[in-house]
Amino acid sequence: MMIDVYKMHGWIQKLWKSRISSSAQREQEAMMPEKSGSSVRSTSTPPPSTLSSSSSSSSSSKQPQPHSALSLLQQWSRKYDVFVCHSSVHSDIEEAVRLVSYLESSPRSLRCFLMQRDACPGGAISTELCQAVKDSHIRALLITPDFLQDDWCKYMMHQVLAEAPMSNRIIPLVQNLSHSQYPQELRFYFYTDLGKNPDRGYTQVKTTVLKYLEGLPKNEKTLDGQHG
């Protein structure tokens, strides 16, 4: 009977040791992925400080710079942000309306002058157009074959050039126009071709205008120097 008790005691010890060893092995195996995972994360992921600084710098670089008080004040010193000059042909009017609708859309809505909409009824055409040019920061010329045949458009083009020669206040936009037809008076200005991709062209115009308005203090100082 004593032998059976000793044997049973030995079996119990062996069983207990095997359970302890297997349990320890499972714990060790369970800990291995965490260690390897943490080591991978530590080598591939930058520290939190690096992440926050890089994300903040990237987000700040993408966000447009807010207007300063001075630039806002100077922006509202003129009645319009963009003067749009186009011919009286129906297709050109429709294109000008689409452009103005895009520029006046939010966010960062711009104030535009459109002849058919904003000219004072009963006013002289020359007076209305020349006053609108003076009251606008940027002058966009929608140059088409009909634009080149329109006496008023050619008059306004020369008026715009006389107001601000060699400045960044003129944006030529061409449509259905070959390079050889591009006016020689504007040969020193890069133009945007709306015929290839109108949406992209509208975006370029709005971006250019906003950039000009954000730098108004510097731009106005340059204009004063030219006029002086």
Side-chain angles (χ1 to χ4, degrees), residues 142-189:
L142 180 57
I143 306 172
T144 65
D146 293 300
F147 179 99
L148 299 177
Q149 299 300 320
D150 191 308
D151 290 336
W152 280 115
C153 288
K154 290 187 290 184
Y155 171 78
M156 291 312 304
M157 179 178 66
H158 289 101
Q159 185 69 23
V160 164
L161 287 169
E163 285 283 335
M166 299 303 295
S167 73
N168 56 347
R169 300 177 65 189
I170 302 174
I171 303 179
L173 307 169
V174 302
Q175 189 175 56
N176 303 324
L177 198 76
S178 64
H179 183 71
S180 60
Q181 293 176 293
Y182 187 68
Q184 286 296 308
E185 295 92 331
L186 301 173
R187 63 186 179 276
F188 297 112
Y189 294 90

Side-chain angles (χ1 to χ4, degrees), residues 41-59:
R41 285 193 296 270
S42 64
T43 55
S44 60
T45 306
S49 59
T50 306
L51 282 175
S52 60
S53 62
S54 61
S55 60
S56 61
S57 61
S58 61
S59 60

Side-chain angles (χ1 to χ4, degrees), residues 1-72:
M1 188 68 179
M2 293 296 292
I3 296 174
D4 294 338
V5 172
Y6 284 127
K7 286 183 177 180
M8 184 177 293
H9 181 70
W11 291 338
I12 292 173
Q13 284 185 338
K14 289 181 179 180
L15 180 61
W16 179 252
K17 289 181 179 179
S18 64
R19 287 185 177 181
I20 291 176
S21 61
S22 63
S23 177
Q25 185 177 0
R26 284 196 300 269
E27 290 180 0
Q28 186 177 4
E29 291 176 351
M31 293 175 64
M32 288 298 292
E34 294 182 2
K35 291 181 179 179
S36 61
S38 61
S39 64
V40 170
R41 285 193 296 270
S42 64
T43 55
S44 60
T45 306
S49 59
T50 306
L51 282 175
S52 60
S53 62
S54 61
S55 60
S56 61
S57 61
S58 61
S59 60
S60 61
S61 62
K62 292 180 181 179
Q63 292 178 354
Q65 296 296 324
H67 278 11
S68 65
L70 181 57
S71 63
L72 280 173

Side-chain angles (χ1 to χ4, degrees), residues 4 13 26 47 54 64 71 84 102 127 133 141 147 156 160 166 172 190-191 203 210 218:
D4 294 338
Q13 284 185 338
R26 284 196 300 269
S54 61
S71 63
V84 181
Y102 177 81
T127 303
V133 169
L141 307 176
F147 179 99
M156 291 312 304
V160 164
M166 299 303 295
F190 286 110
Y191 61 78
T203 302
L210 290 175
K218 178 181 178 181

Side-chain angles (χ1 to χ4, degrees), residues 199-210:
D199 293 337
R200 181 182 178 186
Y202 296 165
T203 302
Q204 289 177 340
V205 173
K206 193 166 190 176
T207 300
T208 301
V209 175
L210 290 175

Side-chain angles (χ1 to χ4, degrees), residues 74-107:
Q74 290 182 331
Q75 179 181 354
W76 286 89
S77 66
R78 298 181 190 269
K79 189 175 181 180
Y80 305 104
D81 297 316
V82 186
F83 168 86
V84 181
C85 182
H86 58 88
S87 78
S88 57
V89 175
H90 183 68
S91 59
D92 288 2
I93 294 175
E94 286 185 335
E95 187 65 42
V97 169
R98 284 192 290 269
L99 172 62
V100 168
S101 297
Y102 177 81
L103 296 178
E104 292 180 343
S105 63
S106 59

